Amino acid sequence: MYDLIGDIHGHAVELRQLLQQLDYAPDTTGVFRHAGGRQVIFVGDFIDRGPAIRETLQIVRGMVDGGAALAVMGNHEFNALNFWTFDPSGGHLRPHLPHHILQHLETIRAFSSKELFAEWRDYLGWFMRLPLFLELPGLRVVHACWDARYIAQLREWLPDDRLTPEFLLRASRKGSAELDAVEITLKGHETDLPGDHHFFDKDGHRRTKMRTAWWRDPAAATYDDYYLEAIEALAGQPVDVAALPNKSYYQDETPVFFGHYWLRGEPRLLTPHSVCLDYSVAKGGELIAYRWHGEQTLTPAGLVRV
């Protein structure tokens, strides 16, 4: 069985505390293991923002390479690959614009020396070997969104669910089907806000598009339920389903675990078959896990926090 852990973002102290709370302890090589043979599944976003990125990567990779854990790629690992990969037409796949540099700044600082930068390049190679999603007996894991249409596309392009250099290049091109599939899977669905409504995200950027709750039926939701940021002027109003570019939602009974959404407040299930494990540890929140015993219907008792 598995213990699923949310976005870490370089918070190694909290990661160690959570692993210990879940009864994992370092073996003689320093790899955290569970005496009963349980495994961790990390939902991605190990890097950026936090104070101990290198230590976080050492713990996570040590567990994955040592057979004590599995992991999927987060959007921050995908962004890092693009940021450090040269574009054949010039520059990098992710341009070194100020806001891109700012997002990666703590990771750059963590590996700033010549010796550590060589280590960082090795981590980039490791990121390339991470799957974009996992489907295991009884559960699914993805960083942001399990949309069966895009999962099927990625499986067609990437038979082992891992990036290739050729695919990474195609997925860096605006308007490509490859970018659409990766963006949905690693960042989730967005929709335009109606009228001139907007909000400011966690980094202070003005946004006119809103991430939406792909696990909810929009036809049975208000904007409070369906938008992942509060828009006071729309509070209590039913969603205008006709205006949505994507009306589908997760209806399967296979449990799906993910992170990404910077939730706040008391950790909770989203539906009986879906749970977000990102509770904003990098913004003063908590690091969250779900201890899964094979149940099809998830329970609040499975949530663990530090």
Side-chain angles (χ1 to χ4, degrees):
M1 296 296 106
Y2 301 106
D3 299 304
L4 298 105
I5 293 180
D7 304 34
I8 305 164
H9 283 301
H11 285 260
V13 170
E14 291 88 341
L15 176 57
R16 287 181 176 273
Q17 291 173 345
L18 184 57
L19 287 169
Q20 291 164 1
Q21 191 167 334
L22 293 167
D23 302 316
Y24 290 76
D27 64 13
T28 56
T29 67
V31 173
F32 280 84
R33 295 187 186 278
H34 192 276
R38 295 179 66 87
Q39 283 184 300
V40 165
I41 303 180
F42 296 104
V43 304
D45 277 9
F46 316 120
I47 62 171
D48 299 335
R49 305 190 188 280
I53 292 164
R54 184 170 178 246
E55 183 182 356
T56 296
L57 288 172
Q58 289 170 340
I59 294 170
V60 171
R61 184 175 179 179
M63 292 182 69
V64 172
D65 290 355
L70 303 170
V72 297
M73 181 181 294
N75 64 297
H76 280 255
E77 287 76 51
F78 179 76
N79 288 346
L81 286 168
N82 282 277
F83 188 83
W84 292 105
T85 298
F86 287 107
D87 190 323
S89 62
H92 292 80
L93 298 185
R94 189 176 209 218
H96 288 192
L97 301 173
H99 64 284
H100 291 161
I101 294 170
L102 184 62
Q103 184 183 78
H104 296 298
L105 186 57
E106 293 305 320
T107 302
I108 294 169
R109 286 174 173 161
F111 293 94
S112 58
S113 72
K114 180 178 180 181
E115 294 77 11
L116 292 181
F117 188 71
E119 181 181 316
W120 170 243
R121 299 295 304 186
D122 189 55
Y123 278 121
L124 289 171
W126 183 69
F127 294 164
M128 285 290 290
R129 299 193 293 274
L130 292 175
L132 296 176
F133 53 87
L134 287 170
E135 186 160 25
L136 303 169
L139 80 165
R140 294 166 173 165
V141 185
V142 68
H143 181 65
C145 177
W146 192 282
D147 186 316
R149 298 167 298 174
Y150 295 101
I151 296 291
Q153 280 188 326
L154 291 169
R155 282 180 167 149
E156 181 180 344
W157 293 321
L158 302 168
D160 66 353
D161 306 331
R162 289 161 173 81
L163 297 174
T164 64
E166 297 77 18
F167 182 89
L168 187 66
L169 176 60
R170 296 198 303 273
S172 71
R173 300 316 194 209
K174 289 185 178 180
S176 70
E178 290 87 349
L179 178 59
D180 288 345
V182 172
E183 290 260 306
I184 296 300
T185 303
L186 299 187
K187 300 181 183 180
H189 284 288
E190 290 188 335
T191 189
D192 290 320
L193 290 169
D196 60 355
H197 291 295
H198 64 274
F199 72 100
F200 292 92
D201 68 14
K202 62 186 179 303
D203 296 315
H205 299 135
R206 186 180 187 273
R207 302 287 189 183
T208 59
K209 287 181 176 289
M210 177 70 76
R211 288 174 178 168
T212 55
W214 53 272
W215 52 89
R216 292 191 184 280
D217 178 1
T222 65
Y223 283 112
D224 310 67
D225 304 321
Y226 195 61
Y227 283 171
L228 296 183
E229 295 284 346
I231 304 293
E232 186 176 349
L234 299 175
Q237 294 185 31
V239 174
D240 181 3
V241 178
L244 296 177
N246 173 63
K247 303 170 181 61
S248 65
Y249 64 101
Y250 190 79
Q251 301 181 62
D252 296 356
E253 295 186 352
T254 300
V256 59
F257 299 87
F258 52 96
H260 185 62
Y261 290 103
W262 295 87
L263 300 186
R264 294 172 288 275
E266 187 73 15
R268 65 195 185 278
L269 303 181
L270 299 174
T271 72
H273 304 106
S274 63
V275 60
C276 176
L277 298 173
D278 180 11
Y279 275 81
S280 307
V281 68
K283 291 287 186 180
E286 298 175 297
L287 189 61
I288 301 295
Y290 187 94
R291 172 147 276 189
W292 189 68
H293 297 282
E295 65 272 20
Q296 184 180 40
T297 300
L298 304 177
T299 69
L303 291 165
V304 181
R305 62 205 283 187
V306 295

